Amino acid sequence: KAGVTQTPRYLIKTRGQQVTLSCSPISGHRSVSWYQQTPGQGLQFLFEYFSETQRNKGNFPGRFSGRQFSNSRSEMNVSTLELGDSALYLCASSGSGVEYYGYTFGSGTRLTVV
Amino acid sequence: DQQVKQNSPSLSVQEGRISILNCDYTNSMFDYFLWYKKYPAEGPTFLISISSIKDKNEDGRFTVFLNKSAKHLSLHIVPSQPGDSAVYFCAASGTGTASKLTFGTGTRLQVTL
């Protein structure tokens, strides 16, 4: 079955702009989580959506937001981009039995802010 | 506050030998623990997990051990293969609304010939 799909794979934006990243989870998975990976901070949790509702949120400023649609696809938005937002943004989806099968990650979107 | 720690940033092991990757955590509320393998420019790939009610889980060449009293887990890879060279992350999670993954900082494993 198809994995987690993230688009676009690469993105270059200018400081002050905003960006929207997209994630299509594995069919049947209702939970979608977003993570930011940077060399200095490792993998940091952004937020999790389950059945269109934000169920959990990490310690990121309000410039980072997300949403989930009825088909479980999710988007995250970053407004007023800063240089420090340059990172690999990863989306993960999960279904039942996540404690045994883990979360499935997409390949990520590499965002570069210049 | 780093709740999940991997104190060894790198590890080099000869092919065929055992690789042991370690992870410590501070939050006793974690319900299960996972290990992920990551190649550059790719998302992490799930390897193996263990519930907090168990002390060992095995899947092929991979075995995870959990010592709850010490808040310590380890991943054993036997025998190590060159294709195992990657960054390994341990992660911990609760359940339900506490189901976010808290990752360690990763250990880069290099398996040499």
Side-chain angles (χ1 to χ4, degrees):
Chain A
K1 60 183 176 182
V4 177
T5 304
Q6 291 188 248
T7 57
R9 284 298 309 272
Y10 303 93
L11 208 47
I12 299 176
K13 289 287 189 178
T14 305
R15 268 182 306 176
Q17 286 187 313
Q18 75 161 18
V19 67
T20 299
L21 312 181
S22 180
C23 172
S24 293
I26 288 175
S27 177
H29 283 188
R30 294 165 64 189
S31 169
V32 174
S33 303
W34 290 88
Y35 292 82
Q36 180 196 64
Q37 187 186 18
T38 57
Q41 297 296 319
L43 281 147
Q44 300 286 314
F45 172 76
L46 281 155
F47 27 66
E48 181 205 6
Y49 286 86
F50 182 84
S51 295
E52 301 179 67
T53 301
Q54 188 180 87
R55 185 161 71 170
N56 212 337
K57 190 177 187 306
N59 297 322
F60 278 81
R63 300 186 296 108
F64 292 81
S65 62
R67 59 178 176 169
Q68 186 180 34
F69 301 95
S70 58
N71 61 358
S72 293
R73 191 177 70 85
S74 177
E75 289 180 346
M76 69 163 280
N77 183 278
V78 188
S79 62
T80 320
L81 284 165
E82 300 176 359
L83 294 179
D85 297 332
S86 295
L88 179 66
Y89 289 87
L90 292 159
C91 165
S93 77
S94 64
S96 59
V98 64
E99 62 270 32
Y100 305 111
Y101 308 115
Y103 294 74
T104 303
F105 283 82
S107 297
T109 294
R110 170 70 64 185
L111 172 64
T112 302
V113 182
V114 298
Chain B
D1 174 25
Q2 190 70 32
Q3 295 188 61
V4 179
K5 298 178 186 179
Q6 293 176 258
N7 292 318
S8 298
S10 64
L11 175 68
S12 183
V13 172
Q14 265 189 322
E15 181 181 11
R17 307 293 286 265
I18 183 172
S19 295
I20 301 176
L21 297 102
N22 294 303
C23 180
D24 297 296
Y25 63 96
T26 57
N27 189 342
S28 57
M29 299 302 290
F30 287 136
D31 284 324
Y32 58 100
F33 305 87
L34 310 92
W35 283 93
Y36 282 85
K37 173 181 178 181
K38 189 179 186 300
Y39 296 113
E42 292 185 14
T45 301
F46 171 72
L47 281 174
I48 191 169
S49 66
I50 187 166
S51 165
S52 60
I53 62 173
K54 294 190 173 182
D55 55 18
K56 178 182 175 182
N57 189 26
E58 191 172 355
D59 184 2
R61 297 186 298 116
F62 302 92
T63 303
V64 57
F65 296 91
L66 175 62
N67 182 333
K68 281 189 67 178
S69 61
K71 293 190 175 67
H72 176 83
L73 65 154
S74 60
L75 174 69
H76 293 209
I77 306 174
V78 184
S80 300
Q81 300 173 353
D84 295 330
S85 297
V87 178
Y88 288 77
F89 290 93
C90 70
S93 179
T95 53
T97 55
S99 60
K100 68 173 185 175
L101 285 175
T102 301
F103 281 89
T105 49
T107 296
R108 181 176 301 279
L109 173 66
Q110 178 81 30
V111 180
T112 59
L113 298 174

